[in-house]
Amino acid sequence: MPSVALATDAVSLSPVAMFLQADIVVKAVMLLLIAASIWTWSIIVSQWLKLGRTAKESERFERDFAKADDIEAFARSHQASPFPSAQVFQAGFAEWRASIRSKPIDREGTRARLSNALGSAVANEIDKLADRLNVLATVGSVAPFVGLFGTVWGIMRSFAGIAAAQNTSLAVVAPGIAEALFATALGLFAAIPAVIAYNRFSHRLNRLEARLGRFADSFHATLSRELDQAA
């Protein structure tokens, strides 16, 4: 008999059972946190793949650029590339082409405009890569409090059950408290991966921004030498 009772209790306190037994408010909190967790993991997977692909393609582009002898031919062959290094290159190259059309060439003005164009392109590419990181930051900071709201509501419901039954035994209190703690667990389950991923992706984006900045400086120096040779 005791083993049967323990098995019954284990089933009744399973996650599915706790969800089904919860009232509408706690159910809504749980569903919200589950949806936030699924959304978080979809962003984590997509960002991980995107940043990995971006890093590899940027490295390949910069390696090809270092080997290029003709900037014009290199620009034509890579004009369709969507990756950050290529976009920074195209922004700088477009500004350089526009600046050298006027005669005589204002070398100092051209260098200043090139610097602005390259810096803006770097910032724009990083902004695009970081587009959905704000979702991870929001989930990481808000999800524990949403879970805490479910916890408070579940405990209030437990106290209401105690008052209605006029019985303080564990059998009366346990279901409501279990639901409350389950809501807290779901909040942490959504928040912890979001915070870890946000910090990790922010670090990778900072490294990528520094890399794009170095590439922009190198490209600026190359174009500056071209300006010195221009008539």
Side-chain angles (χ1 to χ4, degrees):
M1 289 296 292
S3 61
V4 174
L6 287 174
T8 303
D9 290 342
V11 172
S12 64
L13 294 180
S14 68
V16 175
M18 284 188 287
F19 173 79
L20 294 176
Q21 293 166 8
D23 72 347
I24 188 63
V25 175
V26 179
K27 280 182 180 177
V29 169
M30 290 180 180
L31 289 173
L32 179 63
L33 292 173
I34 291 171
S37 180
I38 294 172
W39 193 13
T40 294
W41 279 105
S42 68
I43 292 174
I44 290 172
V45 172
S46 65
Q47 281 292 106
W48 187 274
L49 295 175
K50 181 169 69 173
L51 290 179
R53 185 171 62 251
T54 296
K56 290 180 181 178
E57 293 297 332
S58 294
E59 181 180 358
R60 182 181 304 168
F61 181 88
E62 292 166 22
R63 188 168 57 246
D64 293 342
F65 173 76
K67 298 176 181 177
D69 296 323
D70 187 342
I71 294 179
E72 297 273 354
F74 182 81
R76 287 193 298 271
S77 63
H78 291 82
Q79 62 183 355
S81 178
F83 295 101
S85 293
Q87 294 300 307
V88 171
F89 172 85
Q90 293 295 343
F93 185 73
E95 179 58 43
W96 182 71
R97 290 291 302 272
S99 295
I100 64 173
R101 289 196 185 105
S102 60
K103 302 295 181 178
I105 298 174
D106 181 5
R107 287 177 170 80
E108 293 308 314
T110 297
R111 289 187 176 94
R113 288 190 295 272
L114 283 172
S115 180
N116 290 335
L118 291 168
S120 297
V122 169
N124 184 57
E125 292 303 312
I126 295 299
D127 285 344
K128 288 194 292 186
L129 289 172
D131 181 43
R132 293 197 292 174
L133 289 190
N134 63 322
V135 176
L136 297 180
T138 301
V139 171
S141 60
V142 173
F145 294 101
V146 176
L148 181 60
F149 171 76
T151 299
V152 172
W153 189 272
I155 292 175
M156 289 171 57
R157 185 166 173 260
S158 295
F159 282 124
I162 291 173
Q166 296 183 348
N167 187 346
T168 59
S169 69
L170 187 61
V172 174
V173 180
I177 293 179
E179 296 164 13
L181 295 177
F182 186 50
T184 301
L186 286 177
L188 295 175
F189 182 76
I192 291 173
V195 172
I196 293 174
Y198 177 81
N199 291 333
R200 180 58 183 166
F201 290 147
S202 295
H203 174 68
R204 293 183 69 179
L205 283 174
N206 288 337
R207 292 180 61 185
L208 183 57
E209 184 176 12
R211 180 173 190 164
L212 287 176
R214 290 191 296 270
F215 172 73
D217 291 341
S218 174
F219 186 40
H220 187 278
T222 300
L223 294 179
S224 182
R225 287 191 295 270
E226 293 287 334
L227 279 175
D228 291 336
Q229 298 172 6

